[in-house]
Amino acid sequence: KQEVTQIPAALSVPEGENLVLNCSFTDSAIYNLQWFRQDPGKGLTSLLLIQSSQREQTSGRLNASLDKSSGRSTLYIAASQPGDSATYLCAVIGGVSGGSNYKLTFGKGTLLTVNP
Amino acid sequence: KAGVTQTPRYLIKTRGQQVTLSCSPISGHRSVSWYQQTPGQGLQFLFEYFSETQRNKGNFPGRFSGRQFSNSRSEMNVSTLELGDSALYLCASSLDRVAYNEQFFGPGTRLTVL
């Protein structure tokens, strides 16, 4: 059974700091991994999608890496801003042996607070 | 391009009732997935519909069901509501099957069961 863990559960940083959020998963047989942010009471906003064959993806100040063999992904946020404050979630889509089905598993998220 | 829309945004029901939630995907997207989000369990996958067929299913009881129409719009139904069904229900759409495509989420429907 796939388990996705995000560490830390909460993080508070001053504005301008570079930071790294971590996501680990137990089953390396994945199709892709996607990072989202969620603002309180809202839906999820897609940040980056990394296919299993890729090592990293970049969008603006965000860079996500994927290391399937070690079951880890990191989300790097450069020059953080107060507007980056949100919960960041990673989602792993993994294969189920013997079929075309797959399982989607989310981590519990990291609550990021960027202080002005 | 309009995003994923969900209706209604808020619902209050009592135990034993049933509820239907609606999701309109981004134009051109053929896959719709449903998720339940609670403080205790986090985000859990309910099911995925693609081309009007349920293609994938999470570990939820049969009280949770759904369907997809020819225009890719989807509905989710929960029968015989229980207190534990109180949650934020999110729908997401993707161009094709979720395994290979980015998902885009709607704002969610907040369901409260009294």
Side-chain angles (χ1 to χ4, degrees):
Chain A
K1 179 189 168 190
Q2 179 75 275
E3 292 181 6
V4 179
T5 304
Q6 291 189 245
I7 294 173
L11 180 64
S12 181
V13 300
E15 182 177 2
E17 191 161 299
N18 302 325
L19 59 100
V20 174
L21 306 180
N22 297 291
C23 172
S24 62
F25 46 95
T26 54
D27 185 348
S28 62
I30 68 170
Y31 286 94
N32 66 49
L33 184 147
Q34 193 167 357
W35 282 93
F36 298 90
R37 68 172 279 169
Q38 186 175 31
D39 295 286
K42 303 279 183 68
L44 278 65
T45 300
S46 175
L47 297 173
L48 290 163
L49 170 70
I50 310 178
Q51 300 288 359
S52 62
S53 58
Q54 298 174 317
R55 293 297 297 252
E56 66 178 309
Q57 282 284 356
T58 298
S59 176
R61 295 183 294 109
L62 305 179
N63 176 277
S65 68
L66 174 63
D67 184 343
K68 276 177 52 178
S69 60
S70 65
R72 293 181 60 188
S73 176
T74 61
L75 178 67
Y76 174 82
I77 303 177
S80 58
Q81 304 169 357
D84 295 330
S85 297
T87 297
Y88 289 79
L89 296 141
C90 74
V92 172
I93 298 178
V96 176
S97 60
S100 61
N101 267 349
Y102 41 80
K103 293 293 185 183
L104 294 86
T105 309
F106 278 82
K108 293 289 179 71
T110 294
L111 176 60
L112 173 66
T113 303
V114 181
N115 301 300
Chain B
K1 202 175 197 182
V4 178
T5 58
Q6 291 186 246
T7 57
R9 294 293 312 279
Y10 302 92
L11 264 178
I12 299 176
K13 293 285 188 178
T14 56
R15 276 182 301 172
Q17 287 186 307
Q18 74 159 18
V19 66
T20 300
L21 313 181
S22 181
C23 172
S24 293
I26 292 172
S27 177
H29 284 196
R30 299 164 64 196
S31 171
V32 173
S33 297
W34 288 90
Y35 298 85
Q36 180 195 68
Q37 187 176 33
T38 59
Q41 298 296 320
L43 260 162
Q44 294 182 284
F45 170 69
L46 280 155
F47 28 65
E48 178 195 13
Y49 283 86
F50 179 80
S51 293
E52 301 178 61
T53 303
Q54 187 182 93
R55 303 293 182 143
N56 207 352
K57 189 176 185 301
N59 296 323
F60 278 82
R63 299 185 298 107
F64 292 82
S65 63
R67 59 178 175 167
Q68 186 180 35
F69 302 95
S70 58
N71 61 358
S72 294
R73 190 176 71 85
S74 176
E75 288 182 347
M76 189 191 89
N77 185 272
V78 187
S79 62
T80 319
L81 283 166
E82 301 177 358
L83 295 178
D85 296 332
S86 294
L88 181 66
Y89 289 88
L90 295 162
C91 116
S93 76
S94 56
L95 204 56
D96 207 296
R97 295 295 304 278
V98 169
Y100 305 104
N101 292 269
E102 190 175 5
Q103 292 187 81
F104 298 88
F105 279 75
T109 294
R110 172 78 60 187
L111 172 64
T112 302
V113 182
L114 302 175

